[in-house]
Amino acid sequence: MTTDRAYGKNVLIIGGSGQLGKSLSEFMLKKGYTVNSTYNTKAEGTLQLDVTDRKRTFEVITKFHPDVIIDTHSLLARECERDHELAWKVNVEGTKNIAEAAIETASGLIFISSDYIFDGTKKKYDERETLSPVNQYGFTKAVSEAIVRYFVPDSLIIRTSGIYGARKGFPKLVYNTLKNGNNFEVYIDQYVSPTFVENLTEIIVLLYQKGEKGIFNIASDKPMSKYEFAVKVCKRFNLNRELLIPVATKEKSIFTGGKIKLDTKKLEKALGMKPQDLKEGLNMVEFD
């Protein structure tokens, strides 16, 4: 992100109503940044923006003229599988609009990607691995990464997995469901590397402040099935695990690939730290 305003304090977050977008907004405001954020359907942020609207996207980014754009927007994986055309429009064309607008304003760009760009057939994946997505969500993220690298070569791309926090995410869903005495269907063959949103936020900002560019993996080093994840949530909050109903993705016509472990050695070398593991993260979470 070697613009003449690189590493500045004026930040625009695309997707500010999402879990990561909110966390970044709050954290960076506390650190003295000027933060504006956009939302699509949930009215949480500075202003509404549909990134598939190219003209509007250019208008918004030009208006704020940010030092850096943090692009957290994305159509959810399950929605991508239901509507491939919409997935391409939002995740690919939307990202292209943002990247091209970043060129116009000489803004840096941080793009949030996913471990779903891999198929899970290897023991672990570092930042140099060949991409091998197996579903539409992963495919759109892989294409979007290429777009970002093409239009903004000195961008920062973050690959992460299974983001959760106190306000939103998988543990909150498990907690609310089981606390009310309801059964909860959970996949035994869908895998994530649970990543605590506050820790992810801090690492992204540290990488930005240090002027890092290129691709970085940020995720806990222990991938697990959603079922295993749910069991750990039960243990942390003393919930009845008998209410968990194990199911296979094939029963729901979902295909997510195998267990994906993101290698974080590059991150550890750059910052001298590694992402928190699930136990550390869950110990920091309290539900009302």
Side-chain angles (χ1 to χ4, degrees):
M1 295 179 291
T2 54
T3 70
D4 57 353
R5 296 178 291 117
Y7 326 128
K9 292 282 190 175
N10 182 16
V11 180
L12 177 62
I13 298 173
I14 308 293
S17 62
Q19 182 174 206
L20 179 56
K22 284 183 183 178
S23 180
L24 283 163
S25 293
E26 293 172 0
F27 183 82
M28 298 186 86
L29 282 169
K30 290 178 182 177
K31 293 294 181 180
Y33 289 85
T34 298
V35 179
N36 289 289
S37 62
T38 72
Y39 62 89
N40 185 18
T41 56
K42 296 180 181 178
E44 300 177 39
T46 308
L47 80 171
Q48 193 275 339
L49 174 64
D50 176 356
V51 296
T52 66
D53 184 335
R54 179 179 174 82
K55 181 180 178 182
R56 174 67 173 160
T57 300
F58 271 72
E59 288 174 348
V60 168
I61 291 175
T62 300
K63 174 183 177 180
F64 291 112
H65 214 77
D67 295 315
V68 64
I69 301 164
I70 307 180
D71 181 11
T72 72
H73 97 278
S74 184
L75 193 68
L76 295 176
R78 61 179 177 272
E79 295 171 348
C80 289
E81 301 315 306
R82 283 198 293 259
D83 191 334
H84 287 195
E85 184 177 345
L86 181 62
W88 182 268
K89 191 173 182 180
V90 174
N91 289 359
V92 177
E93 293 180 10
T95 298
K96 183 173 182 286
N97 290 338
I98 294 165
E100 290 187 308
I103 298 173
E104 293 293 312
T105 56
S107 302
L109 179 59
I110 300 174
F111 176 70
I112 308 302
S113 188
S114 167
D115 60 341
Y116 273 33
I117 58 174
F118 298 118
D119 59 13
T121 58
K122 294 186 177 181
K123 187 175 181 180
K124 66 171 59 175
Y125 294 85
D126 65 20
E127 290 81 356
R128 299 165 296 179
E129 292 288 348
T130 301
L131 307 191
S132 53
V134 297
N135 58 29
Q136 187 67 9
Y137 176 77
F139 176 66
T140 61
K141 281 295 185 180
V143 174
S144 295
E145 280 195 14
I147 287 171
V148 169
R149 291 196 302 270
Y150 177 79
F151 286 105
V152 191
D154 55 355
S155 57
L156 176 60
I157 295 175
I158 304 298
R159 292 175 180 164
T160 190
S161 172
I163 302 172
Y164 70 94
R167 291 177 299 192
K168 192 175 181 181
F170 186 70
K172 179 75 169 178
L173 181 60
V174 173
Y175 179 87
N176 287 343
T177 304
L178 271 59
K179 198 71 174 176
N180 291 325
N182 297 318
N183 290 332
F184 184 77
E185 289 191 350
V186 58
Y187 295 120
I188 58 174
D189 55 352
Q190 183 181 43
Y191 300 94
V192 294
S193 297
T195 305
F196 187 45
V197 68
E198 292 182 14
N199 184 234
L200 174 61
T201 293
E202 180 183 11
I203 292 173
I204 291 171
V205 175
L206 287 172
L207 289 171
Y208 171 63
Q209 291 174 335
K210 194 176 178 184
E212 295 289 351
K213 58 186 179 180
I215 302 170
F216 280 85
N217 292 335
I218 308 176
S220 63
D221 64 358
K222 295 179 180 178
M224 62 187 69
S225 71
K226 283 288 192 72
Y227 181 81
E228 292 171 307
F229 192 178
V231 168
K232 291 183 182 296
V233 173
C234 289
K235 183 177 180 180
R236 164 69 175 85
F237 296 102
N238 298 313
L239 300 170
N240 181 9
R241 61 180 289 181
E242 298 301 319
L243 294 173
L244 299 175
I245 309 298
V247 295
T249 53
K250 64 181 180 181
E251 297 175 30
K252 302 292 183 178
S253 299
I254 296 172
F255 188 54
T256 59
K259 187 179 293 187
I260 302 166
K261 180 174 182 177
L262 295 178
D263 189 321
T264 60
K265 287 188 177 64
K266 181 180 178 182
L267 172 67
E268 293 166 33
K269 183 176 180 180
L271 297 183
M273 64 186 294
K274 61 189 301 183
Q276 292 175 330
D277 62 26
L278 179 58
K279 183 177 181 180
E280 291 174 307
L282 285 180
N283 283 339
M284 298 177 70
V285 172
E286 295 292 343
F287 295 131
D288 297 331

